[in-house]
Amino acid sequence: MHKRLLYLFIGLISVSTTQAQKPKTPSSSEIYESIQKLNFLGSVLYVAAHPDDENTRLISYMANHVKARTAYLSLTRGDGGQNLIGPEIRELLGVIRTQELLAARRVDGGEQRFTRANDFGYSKHPDETLEIWDKDQVLSDVVLAIRQFKPDVIINRFDHRKAGQTHGHHTASAMLSMEAFDLANDKLAYPELIKNTGVWQPKRLFYNTSWWRYGSREAFDKVDKSNMISFDIGTYYPLKGMSNNELASIASSQHLCQGFGRMSTRGTQDEYIEFLKGAPLDGANDIFAGIDTSWNRIKGGKPIGAILNAIEANFDFTNPSVHVSDLLKAYRMLQNIENEHWKTLKSNELKQIIQMCAGLYLEASAETHWATQGETIKLNIEVLNRSSLPITLQSLTNTSGLNIQKEMVLGNNTRFNFKEVLKVENQAKPTTPYWLNKKGSLGMYQVDDKSLIGKPETPRRYAVDFNLLIENTPITFSKPVIRRFSKPDKGEMYRPFEIIPEASAKIKENVFIFENNEQQDITVIVKAGRDHLEGDVEVCHPNDWQVYPKKQKVAIAHKGEEQTLVFTVIPPTNQSEGFIGPIVHIGDKDYAKELIEIDYDHIPFQTVLLPSESKVVRLDIKKRGENIAYIQGAGDVVPESLRQIGYHVRVITLDEITPETLSRFDAVVVGIRAYNTLEDIDFKQQQLFNFVENGGNMIVQYSTSYRLKSEQLAPFDLHLSRDRVTDENAEVRFLNPDHEVLNFPNKITQTDFEGWTQERGLYFADSWGKEFTPIFSMNDKGETPKNGSLLIAKHGKGYYIYTGLSFFREFPAGVSGAYRLFANMLSLGKDDIKTAIKLED
């Protein structure tokens, strides 16, 4: 999957170097801020459920004003959300949202952590959440995060006392944090983790409350706040040239796939946290009250602090390199500290500051952005000392066997380039998100390598260690191998260096719908990860399906090139479904995964390996009408899905909505969240209603009730709500079993609601005019019936239909009943098959 998004990168707020990001070239003010953080020995862990749940205002305040080491623990990676910027859903959406979190942390200065919990979709109660998640495993991951990060303070985003009143994932995150607060210091709790982490007892736990918990600002003003601490998170940072809430707005805007792009804010703004447990505050307004956050906190730290505090007090903004001697002295003293936690953290911080003060530029750039097992890759090594300090490059080494002695004095601002080689081991594992290596459950990722649990990304396998001697102090800087290159229309660009398999394969479509017994050709695309790839390809399939030919030869001359093969799939005569997948045989090795590339400008380029398989469905389906206009909303694959069952679908823009254009179609389908994303759709509503009145059908898929772009969604009264049914197996009751939509041209039965995925639907209507007929009633366990999932109104000669049913999720999953029901919706009033001119797709 390859998508592009124009995005304005704000270089002023680049906080840290990450995989495939342009290397940091910090200003003196950024170096000074790093020294300030170096001299604060305190930490805060913020806990919530999903990407974009985090309060970037508070994270930024803690990281940049308080100077505390601050991290966000997101229990999930957000796989269950929607995607406003592209077609990726589920696992691939989780990859995007992971990277958006990391982009946010690069702005607000925090760190990022996760558990193995999978975002399975909206949950109405924490009991359901913790049943679908493996509570014990997720709790152990929260305990692990606390023991590894060792926070003095934990802040929950959500209220553990709100069970059943909000998203079950939200409440569950707070409940697990409350429980883990005590378990982290219990030697009997998860003892298998203690060997590598020890135990840890945080000092305090808070809840990040706000006026919205109490319903209004007026109600919040009356609340007893004696158990709360407040902060003015609008503080201004002269060194950054912006205020904290401006910085936080930019961080929050990294969540673009969820529509979080927003205007920045500035000025005084109060933030509140409520004390929940731990050491009492005793009237203090400081979350670190009673905690020594100076270098005196650790044994032997006082003399180190004296050196570093003097540097902070007398920092030379015009020539930071004058501080390197003292920084090196503190670094040497730090190596004798017994406290491994602080020694490791502060050694890494000190090394980065030394590199920044010395103006060191160190880079290992590969000739290509990916390689395969056993391949030898050329590296361009660049070393530059932009100071007058005596620095010697002693050697270049890495864990895969690179060991090159240099003993080269690095003169002031003299660039050195070396051409070296990197040998990729024969056993090197392909680069892919570690949590997707094996198929997990509905609620949990499966991670066999326990050392990876909690990490935001898969650690890069290849790096180069630059072993330097700075003022006679040996110090090593490790830099991941990247790919630096340029494009005429983009300029200088960076991509991560990836390991890929020598062969990968994909089928172009994720779902194939066979509406009759006719065979279909499918396209298999094989991609070479190395030169001179030769082998053969076959397509595995269910027993009652046939694929011809059995095998085909593949021969690709150059790495990166692809070969397209066409196979013919012959369906059974009866309704059936299953999966097909290509297998590439190269020598004695088989490859059955697809190499997926995710390319958006606001996150690093992502490479994902997933099993290559497509669902095939022999569907008993009939339909009326041929030509469909589709108005794209937030992005989905409904147009492609309708084409699969024989409709001629044309995606149209708002400018194309004219009486003449609409007259060519039998129906207009409006995509998900179109009324939230299309600014000018309100001006086209009357033309769409006229189309219906003249005999067309208009199907409007769900939009959220918040920030609608039109006040009149339908020709009659229609009010959207937040009603949803999250249980994909919830009973569906037929309110009007004789209605045409349930009987023509396909007879809809309970069987058509089997196999639905993630949910029944969302953002149902909760009130409507008498012109509408509700078709279904459904509800989650313990709730009142929801009757607004599918509403149909006759308008003139045509039909207006609103549906919150999740067709956008069911179509990619190949759910037969969803296709049959949608065909009936399109066929309403079209009992006579009209001879229509087939439009180009």
Side-chain angles (χ1 to χ4, degrees):
M1 295 185 181
H2 185 107
K3 299 288 289 182
R4 301 295 299 174
L5 181 72
L6 293 178
Y7 181 75
L8 179 62
F9 177 74
I10 304 174
L12 293 174
I13 55 175
S14 177
V15 179
S16 63
T17 302
T18 61
Q19 297 166 4
Q21 291 289 320
K22 185 174 181 178
K24 179 181 178 182
T25 53
S27 64
S28 291
S29 61
E30 290 175 306
I31 299 173
Y32 177 70
E33 287 181 297
S34 296
I35 293 171
Q36 288 181 309
K37 291 184 179 183
L38 181 69
N39 283 329
F40 189 93
L41 280 69
S43 53
V44 177
L45 182 66
Y46 197 87
V47 180
H50 310 107
D52 73 39
D53 281 347
E54 80 275 25
N55 183 344
T56 53
R57 300 183 303 273
L58 194 51
I59 290 175
S60 178
Y61 181 88
M62 291 297 165
N64 297 289
H65 180 75
V66 179
K67 309 299 181 185
R69 182 182 180 223
T70 309
Y72 172 40
L73 174 62
S74 176
L75 268 60
T76 77
R77 296 176 185 267
D79 295 36
Q82 285 88 48
N83 186 357
L84 288 180
I85 63 174
E88 297 89 354
I89 58 175
R90 294 306 309 158
E91 295 92 345
L92 297 180
L93 179 58
V95 174
I96 292 173
R97 297 187 73 182
T98 293
Q99 291 299 320
E100 288 183 338
L101 272 176
L102 291 172
R105 299 295 81 77
R106 289 192 289 273
V107 174
D108 60 33
E111 301 176 28
Q112 187 60 52
R113 290 171 178 257
F114 292 95
T115 75
R116 288 170 289 174
N118 190 0
D119 177 8
F120 56 84
Y122 193 86
S123 174
K124 294 183 176 178
H125 200 281
D127 290 350
E128 178 200 39
T129 297
L130 296 174
E131 182 179 336
I132 295 176
W133 290 350
D134 184 321
K135 179 190 174 182
D136 188 64
Q137 284 190 17
V138 181
L139 181 59
S140 76
D141 291 355
V142 178
V143 170
L144 175 65
I146 294 172
R147 288 174 176 173
Q148 287 179 331
F149 191 75
K150 302 190 185 326
D152 298 302
V153 174
I154 297 175
I155 303 175
N156 290 344
R157 181 67 175 114
F158 300 107
D159 191 344
H160 65 287
R161 300 158 292 197
K162 287 284 187 177
Q165 300 179 49
T166 183
H167 197 323
H169 295 184
H170 292 170
T171 310
S173 71
M175 293 168 62
L176 292 171
S177 177
M178 288 284 290
E179 194 170 347
F181 181 87
D182 298 315
L183 291 178
N185 197 41
D186 184 350
K187 293 182 178 179
L188 299 179
Y190 307 108
E192 70 279 3
L193 304 178
I194 294 176
K195 179 180 178 182
N196 296 321
T197 66
V199 294
W200 180 254
Q201 180 59 64
K203 189 81 168 179
R204 296 185 181 95
L205 177 65
F206 295 90
Y207 159 50
N208 185 191
T209 190
S210 177
W211 64 264
W212 45 259
R213 178 192 166 188
Y214 298 89
S216 69
R217 296 182 186 276
E218 292 74 20
F220 186 55
D221 289 341
K222 300 175 183 178
V223 171
D224 178 9
K225 299 181 180 63
S226 60
N227 206 34
M228 297 182 189
I229 294 178
S230 66
F231 313 97
D232 176 8
I233 50 82
T235 183
Y236 178 66
Y237 301 131
L239 292 175
K240 297 180 183 295
M242 64 177 66
S243 61
N244 184 76
N245 36 15
E246 286 179 285
L247 196 67
S249 297
I250 298 169
S252 180
S253 289
Q254 304 308 303
H255 297 293
L256 293 181
C257 74
Q258 302 304 297
F260 269 60
R262 61 187 58 184
M263 299 279 285
S264 61
T265 59
R266 55 201 60 80
T268 296
Q269 188 175 356
D270 289 333
E271 192 75 47
Y272 291 87
I273 58 174
E274 176 188 349
F275 175 77
L276 295 178
K277 64 162 56 175
L281 287 166
D282 294 329
N285 199 49
D286 177 9
I287 64 171
F288 290 100
I291 304 171
D292 189 347
T293 58
S294 73
W295 280 96
N296 296 337
R297 177 173 190 165
I298 56 177
K299 182 180 179 181
K302 185 174 182 178
I304 299 173
I307 296 171
L308 297 177
N309 284 310
I311 294 174
E312 180 181 343
N314 302 285
F315 185 72
D316 189 335
F317 285 86
T318 62
N319 184 18
S321 66
V322 301
H323 300 296
V324 170
S325 293
D326 286 338
L327 290 168
L328 287 169
K329 181 179 179 182
Y331 176 78
R332 291 191 296 268
M333 295 170 65
L334 185 58
Q335 306 318 300
N336 297 319
I337 293 294
E338 295 178 3
N339 189 310
E340 288 295 327
H341 174 71
W342 288 112
K343 179 168 74 174
T344 300
L345 288 177
K346 294 303 178 180
S347 290
N348 289 333
E349 289 181 46
L350 260 172
K351 286 170 63 174
Q352 291 178 13
I353 293 170
I354 290 167
Q355 180 184 346
M356 291 188 289
C357 286
L360 279 168
Y361 186 90
L362 309 170
E363 180 182 272
S365 177
E367 63 179 340
T368 179
H369 59 271
W370 40 251
T372 57
Q373 294 175 337
E375 192 172 356
T376 298
I377 298 298
K378 295 178 182 178
L379 294 181
N380 180 66
I381 309 292
E382 182 174 345
V383 183
L384 180 62
N385 167 25
R386 290 173 286 196
S387 74
S388 58
L389 295 167
I391 302 178
T392 300
L393 173 62
Q394 294 185 305
S395 63
L396 301 170
T397 59
N398 72 4
T399 57
S400 60
L402 182 70
N403 189 351
I404 301 169
Q405 301 302 308
K406 290 294 183 182
E407 295 299 332
M408 179 177 293
V409 176
L410 304 179
N412 184 8
N413 210 31
T414 301
R415 185 181 66 178
F416 294 89
N417 284 97
F418 314 112
K419 301 294 183 182
E420 306 296 347
V421 295
L422 172 69
K423 181 66 165 60
V424 179
E425 298 110 320
N426 292 328
Q427 295 76 32
K429 294 181 179 179
T431 308
T432 194
Y434 70 86
W435 61 94
L436 300 179
N437 275 329
K438 288 194 174 181
K439 186 176 180 61
S441 64
L442 174 64
M444 298 295 297
Y445 302 116
Q446 181 176 335
V447 180
D448 291 341
D449 185 347
K450 304 306 181 187
S451 67
L452 296 174
I453 294 174
K455 294 183 182 296
E457 299 179 277
T458 304
R460 295 290 158 172
R461 175 67 185 87
Y462 292 102
V464 172
D465 292 336
F466 294 78
N467 303 304
L468 305 179
L469 195 66
I470 306 178
E471 292 190 349
N472 295 316
T473 298
I475 193 166
T476 297
F477 300 98
S478 184
K479 299 295 178 181
V481 175
I482 50 89
R483 163 69 168 158
R484 179 165 67 99
F485 61 104
S486 67
K487 286 186 176 182
D489 60 336
K490 294 289 185 181
E492 187 175 63
M493 300 182 70
Y494 289 79
R495 277 186 59 172
F497 177 69
E498 315 270 10
I499 307 301
I500 65 171
E502 61 178 339
S504 58
K506 66 178 179 181
I507 299 176
K508 290 190 68 174
E509 304 292 341
N510 292 326
V511 176
F512 292 92
I513 304 296
F514 293 75
E515 58 173 323
N516 51 44
N517 294 334
E518 292 182 7
Q519 63 191 29
Q520 289 188 35
D521 288 341
I522 66 165
T523 301
V524 175
I525 301 174
V526 180
K527 186 169 187 173
R530 63 169 174 83
D531 294 338
H532 310 299
L533 185 77
E534 293 187 1
D536 52 61
V537 182
E538 66 176 318
V539 176
C540 60
H541 56 85
N543 291 333
D544 55 343
W545 294 68
Q546 298 180 52
V547 175
Y548 178 84
K550 296 293 185 184
K551 288 186 178 182
Q552 294 191 55
K553 293 292 183 182
V554 62
I556 304 176
H558 302 108
K559 68 183 294 186
E561 291 184 348
E562 297 177 340
Q563 181 176 338
T564 299
L565 306 170
V566 177
F567 289 84
T568 299
V569 178
I570 304 169
T573 57
N574 299 319
Q575 185 157 316
S576 173
E577 59 184 59
F579 291 91
I580 60 173
I583 302 176
V584 184
H585 306 286
I586 306 295
D588 60 351
K589 295 182 179 179
D590 296 337
Y591 299 93
K593 288 191 174 183
E594 175 184 358
L595 183 68
I596 302 167
E597 297 178 336
I598 301 176
D599 190 6
Y600 292 99
D601 287 347
H602 67 302
I603 59 174
F605 191 96
Q606 297 296 300
T607 298
V608 184
L609 280 169
L610 290 178
S612 181
E613 62 179 20
S614 297
K615 190 171 185 179
V616 287
V617 180
R618 168 62 177 93
L619 182 59
D620 179 14
I621 189 170
K622 303 177 183 67
K623 60 186 187 299
R624 299 294 187 268
E626 299 230 12
N627 300 319
I628 310 298
Y630 198 87
I631 302 171
Q632 199 81 58
D636 54 53
V637 295
V638 172
E640 297 90 330
S641 301
L642 294 178
R643 292 183 186 118
Q644 286 270 359
I645 55 175
Y647 284 105
H648 300 277
V649 183
R650 178 178 161 192
V651 177
I652 64 173
T653 64
L654 293 184
D655 291 339
E656 294 177 282
I657 299 177
T658 65
E660 181 182 358
T661 300
L662 294 178
S663 68
R664 305 168 65 192
F665 299 102
D666 299 292
V668 172
V669 180
V670 182
I672 61 172
R673 297 176 76 169
Y675 288 98
N676 302 123
T677 59
L678 300 180
E679 291 291 339
D680 297 326
I681 194 170
D682 188 43
F683 302 116
K684 298 293 183 177
Q685 285 294 84
Q686 191 55 54
Q687 293 185 56
L688 291 169
F689 297 158
N690 291 342
F691 165 75
V692 177
E693 196 169 15
N694 291 329
N697 289 348
M698 180 178 176
I699 300 176
V700 176
Q701 298 177 88
Y702 92 93
S703 284
T704 66
S705 55
Y706 180 60
R707 291 182 177 176
L708 286 167
K709 304 298 184 183
S710 176
E711 294 183 1
Q712 187 177 10
L713 297 184
F716 311 111
D717 289 340
L718 179 68
H719 181 265
L720 303 187
S721 71
R722 298 184 64 85
D723 288 350
R724 63 200 301 163
V725 175
T726 61
D727 181 359
E728 62 268 35
N729 299 309
E731 179 190 3
V732 178
R733 299 175 292 276
F734 293 9
L735 295 176
N736 289 276
D738 295 329
H739 195 283
E740 182 180 347
V741 79
L742 297 177
N743 295 279
F744 179 83
N746 305 287
K747 179 67 175 177
I748 302 300
T749 68
Q750 291 295 333
T751 303
D752 290 296
F753 289 93
E754 294 177 359
W756 283 52
T757 181
Q758 186 162 326
E759 60 196 354
R760 289 296 191 198
L762 67 171
Y763 292 99
F764 297 169
D766 62 353
S767 64
W768 49 85
K770 59 181 175 43
E771 296 84 357
F772 282 103
T773 299
I775 305 301
F776 301 120
S777 178
M778 59 188 74
N779 56 270
D780 283 318
K781 183 179 179 180
E783 294 192 345
T784 58
K786 305 295 185 289
N787 297 344
S789 64
L790 180 60
L791 302 172
I792 301 175
K794 189 81 163 65
H795 181 51
K797 299 178 183 178
Y799 289 85
Y800 176 94
I801 303 165
Y802 176 80
T803 180
L805 295 173
S806 295
F807 292 103
F808 74 102
R809 293 198 187 280
E810 311 317 317
F811 284 172
V815 177
S816 302
Y819 281 93
R820 287 163 44 84
L821 177 58
F822 209 94
N824 281 14
M825 291 155 57
L826 292 169
S827 301
L828 277 173
K830 298 177 174 32
D831 49 343
D832 294 324
I833 304 175
K834 73 179 184 179
T835 304
I837 300 173
K838 293 184 178 180
L839 302 178
E840 293 183 2
D841 291 351

